[in-house]
Amino acid sequence: MRVSKAVIKARQESEDTADSEVPAAVVCARCGEADCPGCVNDLTRSGVVALVPWERPGRPVLERLWATARATTLDAEHFFEALPDGSLLPALRFAVIAEVIASTAMALVVLGPIALLAPHWARQMLAERWGMLLRLVTFGVPLVAGLLVAAHAAHGWALGLGARRSSGIRGHARAVRFGLYAAGWDLIIGPLGVVVLAVKEGLRPALSVATVATGLPGRSARSFLRGRYRLDGESAGPALRASYAAAAVVTLVGAVAVIVAIAWAMLL
């Protein structure tokens, strides 16, 4: 049976296609792998893989917490520019846990040197005033953590409000998520974060935290505005000013409330 030239050509093209490597339709913009689980802190700027590490299931809580906090601080521009939409509850849980850990570490850093410099006073507090000390820790740490969470949330909410007025794009939920995930700054920049960085990555990254912290809120907010609202340069100014004002007001009011609450706990 004779086979036409058209049929033979079609068969050859089919065989060539089968033998060739067909590129994946969707690949990670960072590593180029189609089955990438999310490399480089689970972020890509393309949006192909843009999951927040904290929201990735199946991984230990502390591992997800650290990966997210590190990304918000040491890779802030990429993280916040690619921040996806999502529920507020995971972001709130992240902020609360991060701030409680950061506040506890800061309290230990403050009380530790005092105990070394004034051991008699420390022994007296533990022996005679342990109840007051317990109340200070019980009230103080959650109050400070709550204040920081509220300030971050207000920062994000006001940023979204100002950006909406400039761009007309709605997105309050994502803006609040920005503020809540920004709580990762306090964990990495704090004493515990510096120690963990030194142990995990060496002294150079740990020592670079002071440099990274300079201007971090502004850089993060500008990256978020650019990625979400397409605002950059002077057009981002009103949103930035609104966010700074809101964070300052909440921090001031919260600080007064914390001082009053701690004083009340000491007088009990």
Side-chain angles (χ1 to χ4, degrees):
M1 181 178 63
R2 297 182 61 184
V3 181
S4 66
K5 293 183 179 180
V7 173
I8 294 175
K9 184 177 180 181
R11 288 178 179 176
Q12 289 177 344
E13 290 177 350
S14 177
E15 291 173 357
D16 292 339
T17 302
D19 293 337
S20 64
E21 294 183 359
V22 180
V26 178
V27 297
C28 173
R30 291 287 180 97
C31 67
E33 298 293 333
D35 57 349
C36 171
C39 64
V40 190
N41 298 322
D42 299 338
L43 299 173
T44 69
R45 299 184 66 178
S46 69
V48 174
V49 178
L51 291 179
V52 176
W54 174 253
E55 298 174 9
R56 183 176 292 279
R59 295 169 60 181
V61 172
L62 291 180
E63 179 184 333
R64 291 185 286 125
L65 180 74
W66 175 257
T68 304
R70 187 189 184 285
T72 65
T73 308
L74 302 183
D75 196 22
E77 288 85 353
H78 293 156
F79 180 90
F80 289 112
E81 187 172 352
L83 182 66
D85 289 322
S87 173
L88 289 178
L89 189 57
L92 178 60
R93 284 197 293 262
F94 168 82
V96 170
I97 295 173
E99 295 296 3
V100 167
I101 294 175
S103 300
T104 302
M106 185 59 69
L108 293 176
V109 168
V110 172
L111 293 176
I114 293 177
L116 292 176
L117 295 174
H120 177 72
W121 175 84
R123 286 194 298 269
Q124 184 180 10
M125 287 291 292
L126 291 174
E128 302 176 8
R129 308 292 297 276
W130 64 269
M132 185 186 73
L133 187 61
L134 181 62
R135 286 195 298 272
L136 281 175
V137 175
T138 303
F139 281 92
V141 170
L143 282 173
V144 171
L147 165 63
L148 293 172
V149 171
H152 280 295
H155 178 211
W157 177 83
L159 187 68
L161 180 63
R164 178 183 175 182
R165 291 175 177 175
S166 298
S167 67
I169 300 176
R170 298 185 178 185
H172 276 87
R174 189 189 288 189
V176 175
R177 276 167 59 83
F178 160 82
L180 293 173
Y181 277 119
W185 303 337
D186 302 328
L187 184 59
I188 299 297
I189 296 173
L192 180 61
V194 173
V195 171
V196 174
L197 268 178
V199 172
K200 292 175 66 71
E201 303 183 27
L203 287 177
R204 186 183 296 273
L207 294 175
S208 70
V209 167
T211 304
V212 171
T214 304
L216 179 61
R219 295 198 312 273
S220 302
R222 288 183 181 279
S223 297
F224 175 72
L225 292 173
R226 183 168 55 250
R228 172 59 178 170
Y229 296 96
R230 304 295 185 264
L231 296 176
D232 203 358
E234 294 183 359
S235 62
L240 291 171
R241 289 191 290 270
S243 67
Y244 296 152
V249 170
V250 172
T251 301
L252 180 61
V253 173
V256 173
V258 168
I259 293 172
V260 171
I262 291 177
W264 173 76
M266 293 178 66
L267 294 174
L268 286 177

